Amino acid sequence: MKEFLDRKFGSTLFSRKQIFSMLVPLIMDSFFVCAIGVLTTAMISSSSQESVSAVSLVSPLYMMIYAVYNAISAGGTVVVAQFKGKGETERMKTAAGQLMLATPLSAVIACAVLVAFADPLVHFLFGGVEETVLAKAEQYLIGIAISMVFLAVYMSGFAVFRGLGETKRCLRLTILINLLHFIASFVFINMMRLDIMGSVLALNLARLVGGAAAVWMLLSPRSILRVQARHIFHLDRKILHEIFRIGIPFGMEQLFMNGGSMLVQIYIAQLGTVSVAANAVANSVFSLLYAAPSAVGTLAVTVVGQCIGAGDKTLARRYGGAMVWLTTALTVLSLAVGLPLMPLLLRMYQAPDNTVRIIYGVLAIAAVCMPFFWPASNVLPSVMRSAGDASYASYFSLVTMWVIRVGLGYVLAIPLGLGIEGVWIGMCLEWAVKTVAFVRRFRGERWLAHEQQL
């Protein structure tokens, strides 16, 4: 096995050990976040189906706003990394400070809008849903809007450490905020029986502490960067322009993708509370199945990007194929380990039998399609973007999202009467179409034909 892995992943740039030493922390980070998400969703589900339905309805709307300042963080990561590569320590501190200003500021604006218009927004988007669910959805939307300010502070620190290559610090921050979220959720939801308000309080507490920890890790005298107030509050227009120039295109892609997800939630709401709850739980447990494989996409950007930087396009193509192979292997392994555990996992949600039957049905659809279509459709875009071929992957992903997952999913779910199963069939068809298109692109030369500007 070692010889096989050496042949597959060893090269003049990377050894097998280097590849897997980078991969393991990424898997731990991804799996930890997904696992805590499953546990907290299970706690909410144990309160009532109305609560988990409310969370499910609001999540895509929240993710649309989250995508914007997540994109700003991503732009900041690139700028910090570039300055580190140039050895410009002072400008690296300035970039970190400007990121700590821009990301929370964007979140404050989003928070004010969401809090002010929470009631009309929820009733406009989900007017056909039961009034109990709508009331809880409004409470949850206001709560997460406030928490986004704290999360933005946390994310700005996380983005700086990611740009510096301090992955261990990133993992510590991830563990801190998610473990605290889990413990607080248990106290507020299971012990104090605060229902949806308990979920909101837990989220705000975890993100407040996480944001404070990130700021301390950047500003303290023992910090590796030691950012100062002047780096934060003195505007540097050039650096801010660069952060937004890099981040906004990515943010627009994520914005439209989450907009499509919100439309899917809107027509799922027409199927009733049971279908909304079943979809929420199914998405939650399904995230565990792709936690490990999804980490390879992050690894691919680093590995293939360095190959391109070194001018070795042949090696970039070889590692691109190896990343798809690795994702497929981890997908099969995740399904083999995770599917037998599904009865145990679903028992945590305390869902009624009719809801559990729907969940098993949609998970079966995804499990059959996932090994064949999920790996290439999710990893090859990262491979191509790392070579500068960002537009093709973004545009094609948006088109397939809106035409197949949203459009065809609606036809299958509502007019053809397949219900939530139709939504998941549409998702699998989207994977299949993207796989064919991305594999064809990867086998050609155009994704490698972009001139590097760095």
Side-chain angles (χ1 to χ4, degrees):
M1 178 59 73
K2 285 184 178 180
E3 291 180 1
F4 171 77
L5 293 176
D6 281 333
R7 290 196 305 271
K8 196 77 176 176
F9 298 104
S11 70
T12 54
L13 285 182
F14 301 99
S15 67
R16 167 183 57 84
K17 289 184 178 180
Q18 286 177 311
I19 294 292
F20 284 94
S21 67
M22 288 187 287
L23 178 62
V24 170
L26 292 172
I27 291 176
M28 291 174 62
D29 193 314
S30 180
F31 186 81
F32 191 82
V33 171
C34 291
I36 296 297
V38 167
L39 292 172
T40 51
T41 302
M43 292 178 196
I44 298 170
S45 179
S46 66
S47 297
S48 67
Q49 285 201 95
E50 288 79 11
S51 295
V52 75
S53 297
V55 172
S56 177
L57 289 175
V58 169
S59 291
L61 178 61
Y62 156 68
M63 290 303 296
M64 288 182 67
I65 308 299
Y66 171 85
V68 175
Y69 59 85
N70 181 51
I72 298 172
S73 297
T77 296
V78 174
V79 173
V80 170
Q82 289 175 345
F83 286 143
K84 184 184 180 184
K86 295 176 182 179
E88 299 181 8
T89 304
E90 188 61 26
R91 298 194 73 192
M92 189 164 55
K93 292 181 180 182
T94 303
Q98 297 301 289
L99 183 60
M100 293 175 69
L101 173 68
T103 310
L105 184 60
S106 65
V108 168
I109 296 171
C111 172
V113 172
L114 288 178
V115 171
F117 297 99
D119 180 71
L121 197 57
V122 166
H123 280 82
F124 172 74
L125 293 173
F126 313 114
V129 180
E130 298 173 17
E131 193 60 37
T132 304
V133 176
L134 288 178
K136 290 187 175 185
E138 183 182 346
Q139 292 176 19
Y140 189 70
L141 179 58
I142 293 172
I144 63 171
I146 296 170
S147 77
M148 284 196 303
V149 178
F150 308 134
L151 180 63
V153 177
Y154 161 82
M155 286 180 62
S156 62
F158 192 91
V160 171
F161 290 125
R162 191 168 51 195
L164 294 173
E166 294 288 331
T167 55
K168 289 184 179 179
R169 292 176 187 267
C170 292
L171 184 58
R172 291 191 198 115
L173 280 172
T174 298
I175 292 173
L176 170 67
I177 193 170
N178 284 281
L179 198 58
L180 181 56
H181 183 206
F182 170 69
I183 295 171
S185 295
F186 180 78
V187 172
F188 292 138
I189 299 174
N190 288 58
M191 296 179 65
M192 299 179 67
R193 303 292 180 184
L194 296 179
D195 196 32
I196 200 78
M197 188 55 65
S199 177
V200 166
L201 290 173
L203 202 60
N204 275 273
L205 176 62
R207 291 176 173 181
L208 173 62
V209 174
V215 170
W216 172 252
M217 291 169 71
L218 283 173
L219 272 64
S220 73
R222 299 178 60 186
S223 168
I224 60 170
L225 203 56
R226 296 189 67 179
V227 177
Q228 299 175 14
R230 62 187 174 85
H231 298 124
I232 301 173
F233 298 109
H234 178 74
L235 291 182
D236 190 310
R237 297 184 184 276
K238 289 185 177 179
I239 289 179
L240 279 175
H241 177 268
E242 191 66 8
I243 289 174
F244 282 103
R245 185 189 69 81
I246 296 170
I248 286 178
F250 175 71
M252 293 303 296
E253 177 192 343
Q254 295 300 303
L255 190 65
F256 282 107
M257 293 285 282
N258 284 294
S261 297
M262 189 173 69
L263 284 180
V264 172
Q265 286 292 347
I266 290 173
Y267 65 70
I268 287 177
Q270 300 177 29
L271 301 172
T273 301
V274 172
S275 292
V276 174
N279 187 62
V281 174
N283 276 313
S284 179
V285 295
F286 184 62
S287 67
L288 284 177
L289 298 178
Y290 62 72
S294 65
V296 183
T298 305
L299 177 65
V301 173
T302 301
V303 174
V304 178
Q306 289 194 29
C307 293
I308 294 294
D312 196 335
K313 295 182 177 181
T314 301
L315 191 58
R317 184 187 297 278
R318 178 191 152 198
Y319 270 119
M323 293 298 117
V324 175
W325 180 91
L326 181 58
T327 307
T328 304
L330 287 174
T331 299
V332 173
L333 180 62
S334 296
L335 290 171
V337 174
L339 289 179
L341 296 176
M342 281 301 152
L344 178 63
L345 288 172
L346 292 178
R347 203 171 297 139
M348 294 189 305
Y349 291 87
Q350 301 179 27
D353 291 341
N354 57 341
T355 305
V356 172
R357 282 195 297 270
I358 297 174
I359 295 170
Y360 276 127
V362 297
L363 288 177
I365 293 169
V368 169
C369 300
M370 192 176 176
F372 301 100
F373 304 125
W374 195 91
S377 66
N378 283 272
V379 172
L380 284 181
S382 297
V383 171
M384 291 186 285
R385 287 189 184 104
S386 65
D389 189 32
S391 298
Y392 179 84
S394 295
Y395 294 152
F396 195 87
S397 294
L398 285 175
V399 170
T400 53
M401 170 74 180
W402 282 83
V403 173
I404 301 177
R405 187 180 297 197
V406 178
L408 183 59
Y410 172 80
V411 172
L412 293 171
I414 308 298
L416 295 183
L418 295 181
I420 191 175
E421 288 85 354
V423 175
W424 284 64
I425 291 172
M427 180 180 69
C428 292
L429 290 173
E430 180 200 9
W431 295 346
V433 172
K434 286 167 67 176
T435 294
V436 173
F438 291 154
V439 168
R440 184 177 179 183
R441 180 83 168 185
F442 178 72
R443 289 176 176 172
E445 299 295 329
R446 295 181 66 181
W447 73 280
L448 287 168
H450 295 266
E451 294 294 328
Q452 301 303 304
Q453 302 297 321
L454 297 177

